[in-house]
Amino acid sequence: MTNVSQYYKVSRRLKFAYAGNPRIYRLDSLTYLTDHAPKGGKPVRFGHPKIKIRLGGICVAVGIFCRISLPDAARAGEIDTLVFGSLDAGAATFMTAGAKVGLPSLDRDGAVVLASLGGGRQGERGPEGSVQRYTVLGAINFGYQWFFDWGVVAAFAGPEMTTQMLTDPNGPTLLPSRFGLRLHGEIWARPSEDTLLQGSVVAGTALDSVWARAALGYRLWDTYFGPEASLYTDASGFLKLNVGLHATDFTVGRISFRISAGIQSETGRRSVAPYTALSVWSPL
């Protein structure tokens, strides 16, 4: 999981980015297929039944929203779109690309659609040696953003889907696709004219995961510099913690950037490792 938060490029006052047989068991942080439960292994529960039942209703509501709202906004010429991408490189690596669409605009109060697709790899240690877990994760979220004199608050909800594959000395194993509900909230605040405080939380039921990030920045040369910290965890037992420094909202032409670097600690590793992260965003 990586930073999938949307980026705000707004007014000058707020110029910042914002299962059958074989069964599936989990042992330590490893999820794998086998005909017999390993010692200490527990069957993995895929998603929440109530969420699965309600997911169809969510998709129907999303379809109605798109059919009614998007064509009307397009005819009025009021669709405001921002594309973004990010790369987190470290002991675990994840890439994300997506778009944020404002209805009618991204620079004032209103409805927002956020779509993203990402993939990554993380190393794990299983009973038979080293294992690589590859993940593809996609989501489309609908929400609302509120602008205040001091910053922006946004909240989103929508369906998500993920597919994973494990590779070990015995070969690759494709795990069943999982569907769930994603909740996404964030805040971009300006405590003073030259400071930026940002916080994001993303929770999803497809992997029973939570990702959170907090950052503080001080503006120099129209760019915010400061510390950041992020955390990711999911039902497999995997936990990743990043602590580092960031430089946010420096631009080259129409493209804005955020660069981060620091140290990363994750499940199964005795020592910390360096990480770097790059985020880019641009209006269409």
Side-chain angles (χ1 to χ4, degrees):
M1 186 70 180
T2 188
N3 182 9
V4 296
S5 62
Q6 57 280 11
Y7 303 97
Y8 289 93
K9 194 70 173 179
V10 293
S11 64
R12 296 177 63 183
R13 175 171 53 85
L14 292 172
K15 183 190 175 186
F16 50 82
Y18 123 51
N21 191 17
R23 301 186 67 186
I24 299 176
Y25 293 91
R26 184 173 72 245
L27 179 61
D28 298 327
S29 63
L30 174 67
T31 303
Y32 57 96
L33 293 170
T34 179
D35 290 321
H36 305 285
K39 183 178 181 181
K42 297 180 179 179
V44 173
R45 175 173 54 87
F46 280 88
H48 299 279
K50 291 184 179 179
I51 294 297
K52 289 183 177 180
I53 293 173
R54 295 172 182 173
L55 187 57
I58 294 173
C59 292
V60 170
V62 166
I64 294 174
F65 179 90
C66 291
R67 185 174 180 85
I68 295 176
S69 300
L70 292 179
D72 292 343
R75 285 192 294 268
E78 294 181 336
I79 290 184
D80 189 7
T81 304
L82 191 75
V83 293
F84 61 87
S86 65
L87 168 64
D88 284 7
T93 301
F94 203 91
M95 298 180 62
T96 300
K100 184 178 68 170
V101 179
L103 303 172
S105 177
L106 294 176
D107 61 359
R108 59 181 183 267
D109 290 2
V112 179
V113 181
L114 178 66
S116 63
L117 178 66
R121 175 192 60 82
Q122 68 190 48
E124 301 177 358
R125 186 168 297 278
E128 299 183 4
S130 178
V131 176
Q132 298 294 319
R133 181 187 297 269
Y134 296 89
T135 301
V136 175
L137 180 64
I140 179 167
N141 295 161
F142 297 82
Y144 202 90
Q145 61 185 14
W146 296 266
F147 280 75
F148 304 94
D149 291 340
W150 49 266
V152 183
V153 176
F156 301 85
E160 67 175 7
M161 184 198 76
T162 184
T163 298
Q164 293 186 318
M165 182 178 69
L166 304 177
T167 61
D168 59 21
N170 295 322
T173 300
L174 183 64
L175 302 181
S177 297
R178 302 178 65 178
F179 298 84
L181 175 67
R182 176 179 293 189
L183 301 177
H184 181 159
E186 57 183 51
I187 179 173
W188 297 80
R190 292 280 300 276
S192 68
E193 183 65 24
D194 294 321
T195 57
L196 169 66
L197 179 63
Q198 191 274 325
S200 298
V201 177
V202 180
T205 62
L207 293 174
D208 291 332
S209 62
V210 175
W211 174 86
R213 177 181 181 269
L216 178 65
Y218 184 81
R219 186 171 62 183
L220 294 171
W221 308 293
D222 289 331
T223 300
Y224 292 92
F225 298 87
E228 69 170 13
S230 64
L231 177 146
Y232 172 81
T233 184
D234 59 36
S236 72
F238 180 76
L239 174 66
K240 180 176 70 173
L241 175 65
N242 291 356
V243 178
L245 300 174
H246 72 94
T248 297
D249 202 26
F250 64 92
T251 62
V252 177
R254 290 169 53 86
I255 303 176
S256 299
F257 298 83
R258 186 185 75 222
I259 295 179
S260 304
I263 56 174
Q264 178 183 99
S265 174
E266 66 176 39
T267 302
R269 290 185 177 271
R270 296 181 179 180
S271 60
V272 297
Y275 81 89
T276 57
L278 171 66
S279 298
V280 297
W281 60 98
S282 177
L284 286 181

